[in-house]
Amino acid sequence: PGRALTLVSVASLGAYVTQLAMLLYFTRTATRPYSAPLLFGLTLGYTMLAGILFMELSWYYEGDTFMFSKSDAFFYYAESTKAASMGLADGARYLMQHYKYDDWGSLLLDMCLMWVVPSKYLLNLTYVLMGACSTVWLYDIGRKVMPQGYAFMAALAYGTSSYIIFYHCSFLKE
């Protein structure tokens, strides 16, 4: 476990240095190509690469891809899979009868995706896509209250932070 955490820390540091290099590049470039599609592509690509790295480390050291936080992540995965195997209506009824309403959102979304294709990787990809969209929406909001370059940098820093990448790949709802 100690070696695994050291490697994850080194990978997080590498992600941070890469993020810093991207931010420095965009502040120093003369053309300043700030755009939502560029931000979406950067966030999506970077999150997928870093997420794959973190998941591979988790698989190598823990034997699963739940990113070193098995208790909650495995609970949501198992319950979503169980509910999806019941069918949409029965699965939704099961979740609503057994869990408080604050857990329904994540479990219902996961259940619906698991019903279509029972794959944890599809769920992770969905979370990564939603995260890239959130980054673009943050950029759009930021452009209304600050210069476009600052909005781009703030959104890029958010979308490529190691915590956000961990969140998208760990199967947690919080």
Side-chain angles (χ1 to χ4, degrees), residues 45 71 125 161:
S71 60
L125 180 61
S161 70

Side-chain angles (χ1 to χ4, degrees), residues 137-152 154-155:
W137 295 329
L138 181 66
Y139 170 64
D140 287 341
I141 292 169
R143 286 189 322 180
K144 297 186 184 331
V145 297
M146 64 181 84
Q148 185 177 11
Y150 292 158
F152 187 87

Side-chain angles (χ1 to χ4, degrees), residues 3 8 11-13 16 22 25 47 56 59 80 82 85 89 98 102-103 107 115 120-121 127 137 140-141 167:
R3 186 172 176 205
V8 169
S12 292
L13 179 63
Y16 174 73
M22 280 194 304
Y25 169 77
T47 303
E56 286 297 320
W59 179 263
S80 298
K82 181 177 179 180
S85 69
H98 290 88
D102 60 337
D103 286 330
L107 288 170
W115 183 74
K120 180 182 177 299
Y121 298 107
Y127 289 144
W137 295 329
D140 287 341
I141 292 169
Y167 172 75

Side-chain angles (χ1 to χ4, degrees), residues 118-168:
S119 168
K120 180 182 177 299
Y121 298 107
L122 176 67
L123 289 171
N124 288 353
L125 180 61
T126 302
Y127 289 144
V128 166
L129 287 170
M130 288 176 14
C133 289
S134 297
T135 302
V136 171
W137 295 329
L138 181 66
Y139 170 64
D140 287 341
I141 292 169
R143 286 189 322 180
K144 297 186 184 331
V145 297
M146 64 181 84
Q148 185 177 11
Y150 292 158
F152 187 87
M153 296 303 159
L156 185 63
Y158 164 78
T160 58
S161 70
S162 59
Y163 174 76
I164 296 299
I165 294 168
F166 171 81
Y167 172 75
H168 294 318

Side-chain angles (χ1 to χ4, degrees), residues 33-99:
Y34 307 127
S35 69
L38 175 65
L39 182 64
F40 181 83
L42 282 172
T43 305
L44 182 65
Y46 182 79
T47 303
M48 288 182 74
L49 288 175
I52 289 169
L53 172 68
F54 289 148
M55 289 171 62
E56 286 297 320
L57 284 172
S58 179
W59 179 263
Y60 182 75
Y61 284 101
E62 298 289 321
D64 58 42
T65 58
F66 289 110
M67 301 289 293
F68 308 104
S69 59
K70 291 182 188 177
S71 60
D72 287 343
F74 187 74
F75 166 76
Y76 290 116
Y77 175 76
E79 288 302 301
S80 298
T81 305
K82 181 177 179 180
S85 69
M86 298 176 186
L88 286 180
D90 290 337
R93 202 171 304 113
Y94 166 78
L95 293 176
M96 289 179 192
Q97 289 173 351
H98 290 88
Y99 299 101

